mmCIF file of all heavy atoms in Angstrom:
data_model
loop_
_atom_site.group_PDB
_atom_site.id
_atom_site.type_symbol
_atom_site.label_atom_id
_atom_site.label_comp_id
_atom_site.label_asym_id
_atom_site.label_seq_id
_atom_site.Cartn_x
_atom_site.Cartn_y
_atom_site.Cartn_z
ATOM 1 N N PRO A 1 -1.395 -7.846 10.079
ATOM 2 C CA PRO A 1 -1.196 -6.781 11.075
ATOM 3 C C PRO A 1 -1.996 -5.518 10.781
ATOM 4 O O PRO A 1 -2.481 -4.866 11.706
ATOM 5 C CB PRO A 1 0.315 -6.519 10.999
ATOM 6 C CG PRO A 1 0.899 -7.790 10.488
ATOM 7 C CD PRO A 1 -0.115 -8.353 9.550
ATOM 8 N N TRP A 2 -2.154 -5.172 9.499
ATOM 9 C CA TRP A 2 -2.862 -3.943 9.177
ATOM 10 C C TRP A 2 -4.339 -4.020 9.591
ATOM 11 O O TRP A 2 -4.915 -3.018 10.016
ATOM 12 C CB TRP A 2 -2.743 -3.619 7.692
ATOM 13 C CG TRP A 2 -3.256 -4.693 6.762
ATOM 14 C CD1 TRP A 2 -2.539 -5.702 6.216
ATOM 15 C CD2 TRP A 2 -4.598 -4.841 6.283
ATOM 16 N NE1 TRP A 2 -3.335 -6.498 5.413
ATOM 17 C CE2 TRP A 2 -4.612 -5.974 5.433
ATOM 18 C CE3 TRP A 2 -5.788 -4.129 6.469
ATOM 19 C CZ2 TRP A 2 -5.748 -6.421 4.790
ATOM 20 C CZ3 TRP A 2 -6.935 -4.568 5.813
ATOM 21 C CH2 TRP A 2 -6.906 -5.711 4.988
ATOM 22 N N TYR A 3 -4.921 -5.217 9.446
ATOM 23 C CA TYR A 3 -6.324 -5.404 9.819
ATOM 24 C C TYR A 3 -6.480 -5.320 11.345
ATOM 25 O O TYR A 3 -7.389 -4.642 11.857
ATOM 26 C CB TYR A 3 -6.804 -6.763 9.302
ATOM 27 C CG TYR A 3 -8.288 -7.007 9.453
ATOM 28 C CD1 TYR A 3 -9.174 -6.669 8.431
ATOM 29 C CD2 TYR A 3 -8.809 -7.573 10.614
ATOM 30 C CE1 TYR A 3 -10.543 -6.887 8.573
ATOM 31 C CE2 TYR A 3 -10.173 -7.793 10.762
ATOM 32 C CZ TYR A 3 -11.038 -7.453 9.736
ATOM 33 O OH TYR A 3 -12.391 -7.675 9.883
ATOM 34 N N LYS A 4 -5.578 -5.963 12.058
ATOM 35 C CA LYS A 4 -5.643 -5.942 13.523
ATOM 36 C C LYS A 4 -5.383 -4.527 14.064
ATOM 37 O O LYS A 4 -5.999 -4.118 15.051
ATOM 38 C CB LYS A 4 -4.632 -6.923 14.095
ATOM 39 C CG LYS A 4 -4.925 -8.380 13.734
ATOM 40 C CD LYS A 4 -3.848 -9.289 14.280
ATOM 41 C CE LYS A 4 -4.132 -10.756 13.938
ATOM 42 N NZ LYS A 4 -3.074 -11.661 14.458
ATOM 43 N N MET A 5 -4.477 -3.801 13.403
ATOM 44 C CA MET A 5 -4.174 -2.444 13.850
ATOM 45 C C MET A 5 -5.395 -1.546 13.693
ATOM 46 O O MET A 5 -5.690 -0.722 14.570
ATOM 47 C CB MET A 5 -2.986 -1.898 13.044
ATOM 48 C CG MET A 5 -2.565 -0.492 13.416
ATOM 49 S SD MET A 5 -1.072 0.033 12.528
ATOM 50 C CE MET A 5 -1.650 -0.034 10.826
ATOM 51 N N ALA A 6 -6.099 -1.685 12.580
ATOM 52 C CA ALA A 6 -7.278 -0.850 12.351
ATOM 53 C C ALA A 6 -8.382 -1.160 13.349
ATOM 54 O O ALA A 6 -9.057 -0.252 13.851
ATOM 55 C CB ALA A 6 -7.781 -1.041 10.932
ATOM 56 N N THR A 7 -8.616 -2.428 13.633
ATOM 57 C CA THR A 7 -9.668 -2.776 14.596
ATOM 58 C C THR A 7 -9.289 -2.350 16.010
ATOM 59 O O THR A 7 -10.170 -2.080 16.834
ATOM 60 C CB THR A 7 -9.931 -4.289 14.555
ATOM 61 O OG1 THR A 7 -8.700 -5.004 14.773
ATOM 62 C CG2 THR A 7 -10.512 -4.705 13.214
ATOM 63 N N ALA A 8 -7.959 -2.253 16.282
ATOM 64 C CA ALA A 8 -7.531 -1.779 17.604
ATOM 65 C C ALA A 8 -7.680 -0.265 17.723
ATOM 66 O O ALA A 8 -7.861 0.255 18.826
ATOM 67 C CB ALA A 8 -6.081 -2.185 17.855
ATOM 68 N N HIS A 9 -7.583 0.473 16.579
ATOM 69 C CA HIS A 9 -7.760 1.938 16.567
ATOM 70 C C HIS A 9 -9.059 2.261 15.837
ATOM 71 O O HIS A 9 -9.078 2.974 14.840
ATOM 72 C CB HIS A 9 -6.589 2.616 15.848
ATOM 73 C CG HIS A 9 -5.268 2.422 16.518
ATOM 74 N ND1 HIS A 9 -4.538 1.261 16.386
ATOM 75 C CD2 HIS A 9 -4.544 3.239 17.335
ATOM 76 C CE1 HIS A 9 -3.412 1.372 17.077
ATOM 77 N NE2 HIS A 9 -3.393 2.561 17.669
ATOM 78 N N GLU A 10 -10.144 1.746 16.348
ATOM 79 C CA GLU A 10 -11.397 1.847 15.596
ATOM 80 C C GLU A 10 -11.888 3.277 15.440
ATOM 81 O O GLU A 10 -12.649 3.577 14.524
ATOM 82 C CB GLU A 10 -12.472 1.006 16.297
ATOM 83 C CG GLU A 10 -12.707 1.401 17.749
ATOM 84 C CD GLU A 10 -13.712 0.490 18.435
ATOM 85 O OE1 GLU A 10 -13.652 -0.734 18.225
ATOM 86 O OE2 GLU A 10 -14.552 1.030 19.165
ATOM 87 N N ALA A 11 -11.444 4.198 16.302
ATOM 88 C CA ALA A 11 -11.968 5.554 16.238
ATOM 89 C C ALA A 11 -11.185 6.458 15.299
ATOM 90 O O ALA A 11 -11.638 7.548 14.976
ATOM 91 C CB ALA A 11 -11.971 6.184 17.637
ATOM 92 N N ARG A 12 -10.006 6.040 14.831
ATOM 93 C CA ARG A 12 -9.181 6.919 13.993
ATOM 94 C C ARG A 12 -8.287 6.081 13.095
ATOM 95 O O ARG A 12 -8.163 4.868 13.269
ATOM 96 C CB ARG A 12 -8.321 7.838 14.858
ATOM 97 C CG ARG A 12 -7.468 7.111 15.883
ATOM 98 C CD ARG A 12 -6.768 8.109 16.806
ATOM 99 N NE ARG A 12 -6.094 7.434 17.900
ATOM 100 C CZ ARG A 12 -4.859 6.944 17.845
ATOM 101 N NH1 ARG A 12 -4.189 7.061 16.714
ATOM 102 N NH2 ARG A 12 -4.320 6.352 18.884
ATOM 103 N N ALA A 13 -7.690 6.785 12.133
ATOM 104 C CA ALA A 13 -6.763 6.114 11.227
ATOM 105 C C ALA A 13 -5.467 5.796 11.963
ATOM 106 O O ALA A 13 -5.075 6.488 12.897
ATOM 107 C CB ALA A 13 -6.477 6.999 10.016
ATOM 108 N N ALA A 14 -4.816 4.726 11.542
ATOM 109 C CA ALA A 14 -3.576 4.284 12.174
ATOM 110 C C ALA A 14 -2.511 4.072 11.106
ATOM 111 O O ALA A 14 -2.816 3.786 9.939
ATOM 112 C CB ALA A 14 -3.806 3.000 12.967
ATOM 113 N N LEU A 15 -1.277 4.205 11.531
ATOM 114 C CA LEU A 15 -0.139 4.083 10.619
ATOM 115 C C LEU A 15 0.778 2.989 11.118
ATOM 116 O O LEU A 15 1.126 2.941 12.300
ATOM 117 C CB LEU A 15 0.620 5.416 10.553
ATOM 118 C CG LEU A 15 1.624 5.596 9.425
ATOM 119 C CD1 LEU A 15 0.911 5.606 8.075
ATOM 120 C CD2 LEU A 15 2.377 6.908 9.621
ATOM 121 N N SER A 16 1.169 2.106 10.228
ATOM 122 C CA SER A 16 2.028 0.991 10.617
ATOM 123 C C SER A 16 3.477 1.437 10.723
ATOM 124 O O SER A 16 3.848 2.528 10.277
ATOM 125 C CB SER A 16 1.926 -0.131 9.580
ATOM 126 O OG SER A 16 2.587 0.250 8.382
ATOM 127 N N ALA A 17 4.288 0.602 11.322
ATOM 128 C CA ALA A 17 5.727 0.823 11.294
ATOM 129 C C ALA A 17 6.243 0.528 9.890
ATOM 130 O O ALA A 17 5.620 -0.226 9.121
ATOM 131 C CB ALA A 17 6.417 -0.079 12.316
ATOM 132 N N PRO A 18 7.357 1.113 9.500
ATOM 133 C CA PRO A 18 7.897 0.833 8.159
ATOM 134 C C PRO A 18 8.243 -0.654 8.006
ATOM 135 O O PRO A 18 8.705 -1.305 8.942
ATOM 136 C CB PRO A 18 9.162 1.711 8.094
ATOM 137 C CG PRO A 18 8.949 2.777 9.111
ATOM 138 C CD PRO A 18 8.158 2.131 10.205
ATOM 139 N N TYR A 19 8.030 -1.164 6.805
ATOM 140 C CA TYR A 19 8.384 -2.560 6.505
ATOM 141 C C TYR A 19 8.676 -2.650 5.013
ATOM 142 O O TYR A 19 8.378 -1.743 4.231
ATOM 143 C CB TYR A 19 7.265 -3.512 6.914
ATOM 144 C CG TYR A 19 5.975 -3.340 6.134
ATOM 145 C CD1 TYR A 19 5.667 -4.159 5.048
ATOM 146 C CD2 TYR A 19 5.056 -2.349 6.491
ATOM 147 C CE1 TYR A 19 4.492 -3.998 4.341
ATOM 148 C CE2 TYR A 19 3.891 -2.179 5.789
ATOM 149 C CZ TYR A 19 3.603 -2.999 4.714
ATOM 150 O OH TYR A 19 2.439 -2.831 4.009
ATOM 151 N N VAL A 20 9.280 -3.758 4.607
ATOM 152 C CA VAL A 20 9.614 -3.980 3.200
ATOM 153 C C VAL A 20 8.474 -4.749 2.549
ATOM 154 O O VAL A 20 8.074 -5.824 3.023
ATOM 155 C CB VAL A 20 10.936 -4.757 3.066
ATOM 156 C CG1 VAL A 20 11.263 -4.991 1.590
ATOM 157 C CG2 VAL A 20 12.071 -3.989 3.731
ATOM 158 N N PHE A 21 7.948 -4.222 1.437
ATOM 159 C CA PHE A 21 6.859 -4.886 0.735
ATOM 160 C C PHE A 21 7.321 -6.239 0.197
ATOM 161 O O PHE A 21 8.459 -6.389 -0.273
ATOM 162 C CB PHE A 21 6.358 -4.018 -0.419
ATOM 163 C CG PHE A 21 5.681 -2.755 0.039
ATOM 164 C CD1 PHE A 21 5.835 -1.574 -0.666
ATOM 165 C CD2 PHE A 21 4.886 -2.743 1.175
ATOM 166 C CE1 PHE A 21 5.207 -0.405 -0.259
ATOM 167 C CE2 PHE A 21 4.253 -1.580 1.585
ATOM 168 C CZ PHE A 21 4.423 -0.417 0.876
ATOM 169 N N SER A 22 6.436 -7.192 0.248
ATOM 170 C CA SER A 22 6.795 -8.545 -0.200
ATOM 171 C C SER A 22 6.942 -8.627 -1.712
ATOM 172 O O SER A 22 7.712 -9.450 -2.230
ATOM 173 C CB SER A 22 5.723 -9.538 0.268
ATOM 174 O OG SER A 22 4.450 -9.172 -0.250
ATOM 175 N N SER A 23 6.226 -7.766 -2.464
ATOM 176 C CA SER A 23 6.247 -7.876 -3.920
ATOM 177 C C SER A 23 7.366 -7.066 -4.565
ATOM 178 O O SER A 23 7.580 -7.190 -5.772
ATOM 179 C CB SER A 23 4.897 -7.408 -4.487
ATOM 180 O OG SER A 23 4.633 -6.086 -4.053
ATOM 181 N N MET A 24 8.067 -6.233 -3.806
ATOM 182 C CA MET A 24 9.228 -5.532 -4.347
ATOM 183 C C MET A 24 10.078 -5.037 -3.178
ATOM 184 O O MET A 24 9.559 -4.701 -2.113
ATOM 185 C CB MET A 24 8.808 -4.358 -5.232
ATOM 186 C CG MET A 24 8.027 -3.273 -4.572
ATOM 187 S SD MET A 24 7.698 -1.937 -5.731
ATOM 188 C CE MET A 24 6.717 -0.837 -4.713
ATOM 189 N N PRO A 25 11.401 -4.994 -3.369
ATOM 190 C CA PRO A 25 12.292 -4.659 -2.250
ATOM 191 C C PRO A 25 12.339 -3.155 -1.985
ATOM 192 O O PRO A 25 13.360 -2.500 -2.158
ATOM 193 C CB PRO A 25 13.650 -5.184 -2.743
ATOM 194 C CG PRO A 25 13.592 -5.077 -4.223
ATOM 195 C CD PRO A 25 12.155 -5.361 -4.589
ATOM 196 N N GLU A 26 11.199 -2.636 -1.560
ATOM 197 C CA GLU A 26 11.131 -1.226 -1.206
ATOM 198 C C GLU A 26 10.431 -1.079 0.130
ATOM 199 O O GLU A 26 9.453 -1.785 0.405
ATOM 200 C CB GLU A 26 10.377 -0.420 -2.265
ATOM 201 C CG GLU A 26 11.224 -0.010 -3.446
ATOM 202 C CD GLU A 26 10.546 1.085 -4.259
ATOM 203 O OE1 GLU A 26 9.857 1.924 -3.656
ATOM 204 O OE2 GLU A 26 10.712 1.085 -5.487
ATOM 205 N N PRO A 27 10.904 -0.168 0.970
ATOM 206 C CA PRO A 27 10.215 0.040 2.244
ATOM 207 C C PRO A 27 8.968 0.879 2.041
ATOM 208 O O PRO A 27 8.873 1.676 1.108
ATOM 209 C CB PRO A 27 11.258 0.795 3.079
ATOM 210 C CG PRO A 27 12.090 1.520 2.071
ATOM 211 C CD PRO A 27 12.124 0.647 0.851
ATOM 212 N N GLY A 28 8.021 0.681 2.930
ATOM 213 C CA GLY A 28 6.787 1.442 2.842
ATOM 214 C C GLY A 28 6.039 1.422 4.150
ATOM 215 O O GLY A 28 6.493 0.880 5.160
ATOM 216 N N LEU A 29 4.863 2.037 4.121
ATOM 217 C CA LEU A 29 3.991 2.133 5.282
ATOM 218 C C LEU A 29 2.574 1.785 4.875
ATOM 219 O O LEU A 29 2.212 1.888 3.696
ATOM 220 C CB LEU A 29 4.005 3.554 5.860
ATOM 221 C CG LEU A 29 5.346 4.122 6.352
ATOM 222 C CD1 LEU A 29 5.212 5.622 6.550
ATOM 223 C CD2 LEU A 29 5.762 3.459 7.644
ATOM 224 N N THR A 30 1.785 1.424 5.841
ATOM 225 C CA THR A 30 0.369 1.157 5.601
ATOM 226 C C THR A 30 -0.471 2.015 6.526
ATOM 227 O O THR A 30 -0.234 2.035 7.739
ATOM 228 C CB THR A 30 0.038 -0.324 5.830
ATOM 229 O OG1 THR A 30 0.798 -1.124 4.922
ATOM 230 C CG2 THR A 30 -1.437 -0.592 5.609
ATOM 231 N N ALA A 31 -1.439 2.708 5.931
ATOM 232 C CA ALA A 31 -2.398 3.492 6.715
ATOM 233 C C ALA A 31 -3.743 2.783 6.650
ATOM 234 O O ALA A 31 -4.186 2.379 5.569
ATOM 235 C CB ALA A 31 -2.516 4.911 6.172
ATOM 236 N N THR A 32 -4.367 2.609 7.803
ATOM 237 C CA THR A 32 -5.630 1.865 7.851
ATOM 238 C C THR A 32 -6.678 2.658 8.637
ATOM 239 O O THR A 32 -6.356 3.487 9.497
ATOM 240 C CB THR A 32 -5.435 0.497 8.539
ATOM 241 O OG1 THR A 32 -5.009 0.712 9.890
ATOM 242 C CG2 THR A 32 -4.397 -0.328 7.818
ATOM 243 N N ARG A 33 -7.935 2.362 8.303
ATOM 244 C CA ARG A 33 -9.058 2.973 9.037
ATOM 245 C C ARG A 33 -10.246 2.025 8.947
ATOM 246 O O ARG A 33 -10.544 1.489 7.872
ATOM 247 C CB ARG A 33 -9.411 4.335 8.436
ATOM 248 C CG ARG A 33 -10.593 5.037 9.111
ATOM 249 C CD ARG A 33 -10.223 5.527 10.496
ATOM 250 N NE ARG A 33 -11.341 6.132 11.197
ATOM 251 C CZ ARG A 33 -11.620 7.443 11.188
ATOM 252 N NH1 ARG A 33 -10.855 8.281 10.486
ATOM 253 N NH2 ARG A 33 -12.628 7.909 11.878
ATOM 254 N N GLN A 34 -10.886 1.806 10.048
ATOM 255 C CA GLN A 34 -12.042 0.919 10.078
ATOM 256 C C GLN A 34 -13.268 1.688 9.601
ATOM 257 O O GLN A 34 -13.616 2.736 10.149
ATOM 258 C CB GLN A 34 -12.252 0.372 11.494
ATOM 259 C CG GLN A 34 -13.294 -0.720 11.573
ATOM 260 C CD GLN A 34 -13.302 -1.421 12.912
ATOM 261 O OE1 GLN A 34 -13.275 -2.633 12.998
ATOM 262 N NE2 GLN A 34 -13.340 -0.638 14.000
ATOM 263 N N ALA A 35 -13.912 1.156 8.556
ATOM 264 C CA ALA A 35 -15.103 1.807 8.016
ATOM 265 C C ALA A 35 -16.343 1.446 8.821
ATOM 266 O O ALA A 35 -17.231 2.285 9.033
ATOM 267 C CB ALA A 35 -15.303 1.398 6.555
ATOM 268 N N ARG A 36 -16.414 0.224 9.244
ATOM 269 C CA ARG A 36 -17.494 -0.322 10.060
ATOM 270 C C ARG A 36 -16.893 -1.503 10.803
ATOM 271 O O ARG A 36 -15.892 -2.062 10.330
ATOM 272 C CB ARG A 36 -18.664 -0.756 9.162
ATOM 273 C CG ARG A 36 -19.866 -1.296 9.919
ATOM 274 C CD ARG A 36 -20.965 -1.695 8.976
ATOM 275 N NE ARG A 36 -21.566 -0.522 8.311
ATOM 276 C CZ ARG A 36 -22.554 -0.601 7.434
ATOM 277 N NH1 ARG A 36 -23.032 -1.787 7.097
ATOM 278 N NH2 ARG A 36 -23.046 0.490 6.897
ATOM 279 N N PRO A 37 -17.394 -1.868 11.938
ATOM 280 C CA PRO A 37 -16.771 -2.984 12.655
ATOM 281 C C PRO A 37 -16.495 -4.179 11.744
ATOM 282 O O PRO A 37 -17.407 -4.730 11.127
ATOM 283 C CB PRO A 37 -17.803 -3.320 13.734
ATOM 284 C CG PRO A 37 -18.474 -2.014 14.007
ATOM 285 C CD PRO A 37 -18.538 -1.314 12.681
ATOM 286 N N GLY A 38 -15.213 -4.485 11.613
ATOM 287 C CA GLY A 38 -14.801 -5.619 10.791
ATOM 288 C C GLY A 38 -14.475 -5.267 9.366
ATOM 289 O O GLY A 38 -13.860 -6.076 8.658
ATOM 290 N N VAL A 39 -14.865 -4.085 8.871
ATOM 291 C CA VAL A 39 -14.560 -3.659 7.507
ATOM 292 C C VAL A 39 -13.438 -2.616 7.588
ATOM 293 O O VAL A 39 -13.618 -1.537 8.169
ATOM 294 C CB VAL A 39 -15.790 -3.062 6.803
ATOM 295 C CG1 VAL A 39 -15.428 -2.626 5.391
ATOM 296 C CG2 VAL A 39 -16.933 -4.072 6.782
#
């Protein structure tokens, strides 16, 4: 989802909805930004 969210907001940084990390039972957020199409 983080990759798809960034490509959908290619002009600016995007913030995900809160979710629980798979590697530890803590909630968190992901901020994404597309550096170049596809990166």
Side-chain angles (χ1 to χ4, degrees):
W2 58 268
Y3 188 91
K4 296 177 180 179
M5 180 175 62
T7 55
H9 297 79
E10 57 184 42
R12 54 187 172 86
L15 194 65
S16 72
Y19 65 98
V20 179
F21 293 143
S22 59
S23 57
M24 62 177 178
E26 277 196 34
L29 300 166
T30 299
T32 62
R33 179 71 183 267
Q34 189 169 230
R36 182 180 292 180
V39 180

